[in-house]
Amino acid sequence: MAQDRIEQGRGFGAKRQKKSTSLGNKNLVPVPEGATTSPKRVGQGPGSGMGKTSTRGSKGQRARAASMRRGFEGGQLPLHRRLPKRGFTNIFSVEFQPVNLISLTKAGLSGEVTPAILKSKSLIKSEVGPIKLLGTGEVTVAITITVDAFSASAKEKIEKAGGKVIIREKKKEEKKN
């Protein structure tokens, strides 16, 4: 029973079952013999098939299992310590999604504009993330837009057209006790 399963598993070459497709058998390329080999046994000793040294030569630092750490340069000052460290990454920085007035005009938006509408028009990537309204372009229709931040020129242009800018309320996270 087990022998039958092993024989069925060797489906390459002459024993490979032919499938009829619209392309015929052109998409069924047999794997040539010897193309797939088993991985090299890394262990040392006679069981590995590589002899006592397991292709590592005899003795020395490179023959050991835990020979050198990554980036080790033989005692020389390594590259990651030779190069200067500059600047830092501010973990409190907030990355706003910019929305210009010209993009609102091109999208043909008017009336009430929410983050969900901006997302549906592909003006922002995420409606959850912070959005900033910028003043590049002109607005001719009245728009009531809800955003997290805005520039002074954007607010001025929208109010001049008869609309208004509403700042979105931030959700306060509850602390777990």
Side-chain angles (χ1 to χ4, degrees):
M1 187 73 176
Q3 190 66 24
D4 295 337
R5 280 186 278 151
I6 292 170
E7 289 299 318
Q8 286 177 349
R10 295 184 192 152
F12 298 109
K15 294 181 180 177
R16 187 172 182 152
Q17 294 178 355
K18 306 292 183 205
K19 291 183 180 178
S20 61
T21 61
S22 61
L23 297 171
N25 289 329
K26 293 177 184 174
N27 63 335
L28 301 175
V29 180
V31 177
E33 199 168 316
T36 56
T37 57
S38 56
K40 184 208 272 193
R41 293 285 302 273
V42 177
Q44 294 180 343
S48 68
M50 298 291 171
K52 73 179 175 143
T53 55
S54 186
T55 72
R56 289 172 178 256
S58 59
K59 299 185 181 178
Q61 187 176 23
R62 290 174 179 263
R64 311 296 181 210
S67 61
M68 290 167 282
R69 66 183 182 275
R70 283 183 303 160
F72 183 68
E73 297 183 24
Q76 174 177 300
L77 195 66
L79 183 68
H80 68 90
R81 290 185 61 197
R82 289 196 302 265
L83 296 176
K85 296 349 176 224
R86 296 295 301 266
F88 74 104
T89 304
N90 185 0
I91 61 169
F92 300 106
S93 66
V94 179
E95 187 99 9
F96 283 96
Q97 301 175 82
V99 177
N100 279 303
L101 295 179
I102 194 166
S103 57
L104 294 176
T105 308
K106 282 182 181 176
L109 296 174
S110 61
E112 180 117 8
V113 179
T114 62
I117 293 169
L118 293 173
K119 170 88 168 89
S120 67
K121 295 285 187 179
S122 300
L123 296 176
I124 57 172
K125 288 184 180 178
S126 168
E127 59 184 277
V128 179
I131 305 161
K132 184 165 185 175
L133 184 65
L134 302 175
T136 304
E138 295 296 325
V139 177
T140 54
V141 293
I143 295 176
T144 304
I145 186 164
T146 306
V147 290
D148 295 292
F150 54 86
S151 67
S153 62
K155 184 178 181 182
E156 181 185 321
K157 288 177 183 179
I158 284 184
E159 287 177 349
K160 194 176 188 182
K164 68 179 185 177
V165 180
I166 301 170
I167 293 182
R168 182 165 46 166
E169 293 180 19
K170 293 178 182 152
K171 296 178 182 176
K172 293 182 180 178
E173 295 179 14
E174 296 180 18
K175 292 183 181 178
K176 294 180 181 177
N177 292 333

